[in-house]
Amino acid sequence: MRLGVLDVGSNTVHLLIVDAHPGARPIPDSSHKSVLRLMRYLTDDGAISDDGVTAIVDAVRAAVRAGEAAGIDELLPFATSALREATNGAAVLALIAAETGVELQVLSGIDEARITFLAVRRWYGWSAADMLLFDIGGGSLEIAAGGDEYPEVALSLPLGAGRSTIGFLHDDPPTQAQMDALREHAASVLDDALPAFANLPRAAHISGSSKTIRSLARLAGSVVDGVGSLDRTLLRRAQLDDWIPRLARIPADARPALPGITVDRTFQIVAGGIVLSEAMRAFGVRELEVSPWALREGILLRYLDRLV
């Protein structure tokens, strides 16, 4: 069957179209993406502005048209932190349904962490043993750990790359004082989260997922041979910390000239790097492997599992 996974996130509205059936690896066919950066549309009371609502509806409508043109059999639509936390989120969801016919499933932060962990587990398999996962979105940082298909501990922290940029990095390029303040804040939030993981076995495999982490790894990481024809991408904290100050000195509109930095992530990539660095520090991680699969693939896999 041909499935479409529609992800209405804090940064983009992204439709991934795949050909799939139970027991098989989903094969990507095409994708359709609208860059929104919804954090810029938030009002002082935490609502999404009228312009932001219009942008979301237009993006979802465009994704529906793309899915119809691709001949999808089923649409799996979901939304994450931006709509989950907006004070007018329920009204926006109702409007999207009325205008486009799409009823978005709003995932909790814990849902995001658990479903992403499922995708990463399936990618690496049981040989990865106990895993630790970091996933940085626009609004939140998800951390999950465990030895099974779903994690034993899963947390969602308000340390997304977009949220952190708006909250701390007010200048372009950001000042050193602003970056130091974000580091201190991230360190405090992460240190408070550590006790939840204290009784778990030490992770045998540490992974990072999300476009932000993939972008940072392409810029600062290393590629090594993997299984079969696929390479593995590794990111060391030392490499990341070497690049962050250099990246921060470059204005946002010039960063896409660098490897891995795309236009849709350029404004928030510095904050994403700082948050990831502090997450790796807090958990004593020197190196992680970047997972090609993340939340969208997890949504697909969970759907296919239920068909069996």
Side-chain angles (χ1 to χ4, degrees):
M1 67 186 73
R2 178 158 289 185
L3 301 174
V5 183
L6 179 59
D7 176 359
V8 180
S10 300
N11 199 53
T12 62
V13 172
H14 190 176
L15 174 67
L16 174 65
I17 298 171
V18 304
D19 292 321
H21 64 266
R25 172 183 172 179
I27 304 300
D29 173 79
S30 59
S31 69
H32 181 279
K33 183 188 296 185
S34 299
V35 179
L36 299 186
R37 299 206 312 273
L38 284 179
M39 292 292 174
R40 64 181 173 169
Y41 290 112
L42 291 180
T43 62
D44 291 341
D45 65 351
I48 299 172
S49 68
D50 291 344
D51 286 345
V53 172
T54 298
I56 298 172
V57 172
D58 288 346
V60 172
R61 186 180 288 118
V64 169
R65 288 197 295 265
E68 291 172 347
I72 63 172
D73 298 299
E74 181 117 19
L75 182 67
L76 311 177
F78 69 94
T80 55
S81 63
L83 281 172
R84 181 172 68 234
E85 298 174 7
T87 55
N88 61 339
V92 176
L93 290 167
L95 181 63
I96 292 170
E99 293 288 331
T100 70
V102 174
E103 296 187 4
L104 292 168
Q105 176 192 8
V106 180
L107 301 179
S108 70
I110 303 301
D111 288 337
E112 289 187 55
R114 286 174 52 79
I115 297 169
T116 303
F117 190 91
L118 169 66
V120 175
R121 166 62 74 195
R122 292 283 179 89
W123 180 264
Y124 291 112
W126 293 111
S127 64
D130 288 286
M131 296 195 315
L132 172 64
L133 170 68
F134 302 113
D135 183 279
I136 300 176
S140 57
L141 162 68
E142 275 68 53
I143 306 174
D148 295 324
E149 286 217 315
Y150 287 97
E152 186 171 341
V153 177
L155 294 181
S156 180
L157 306 176
L159 291 173
R163 183 196 301 271
S164 298
T165 300
I166 290 174
F168 292 89
L169 307 187
H170 304 130
D171 293 324
D172 178 26
T175 67
Q176 187 62 51
Q178 290 167 358
M179 292 192 293
D180 290 345
L182 175 55
R183 276 197 181 276
E184 182 178 348
H185 171 70
S188 176
V189 173
L190 286 157
D191 286 346
D192 288 344
L194 283 176
F197 297 84
N199 295 325
L200 296 184
R202 183 172 181 82
H205 189 86
I206 300 164
S207 184
S209 61
S210 77
K211 181 63 179 295
T212 293
I213 294 179
R214 289 198 302 272
S215 295
L216 290 166
R218 187 175 173 199
L219 176 69
S222 305
V223 175
V224 299
D225 289 340
V227 177
S229 62
L230 299 177
D231 292 330
R232 299 166 59 216
T233 303
L234 307 178
L235 179 59
R236 296 179 177 88
R237 186 175 173 227
Q239 294 172 306
L240 179 61
D241 286 344
D242 179 60
W243 261 104
I244 288 171
R246 289 189 279 166
L247 191 58
R249 287 193 291 268
I250 302 172
D253 60 3
R255 291 175 194 151
L258 297 170
I261 309 303
T262 56
V263 172
D264 58 318
R265 292 296 189 281
T266 186
F267 288 95
Q268 61 188 49
I269 197 67
V270 174
I274 291 171
V275 168
L276 179 58
S277 172
E278 287 303 311
M280 294 174 76
R281 177 206 60 79
F283 283 81
V285 173
R286 293 183 179 181
E287 178 182 274
L288 59 76
E289 182 172 354
V290 181
S291 169
W293 281 2
L295 180 58
R296 284 185 290 274
E297 288 77 12
I299 293 287
L300 275 167
L301 294 168
R302 187 179 64 166
Y303 173 82
L304 293 171
D305 286 349
R306 292 171 176 173
L307 296 181
V308 178

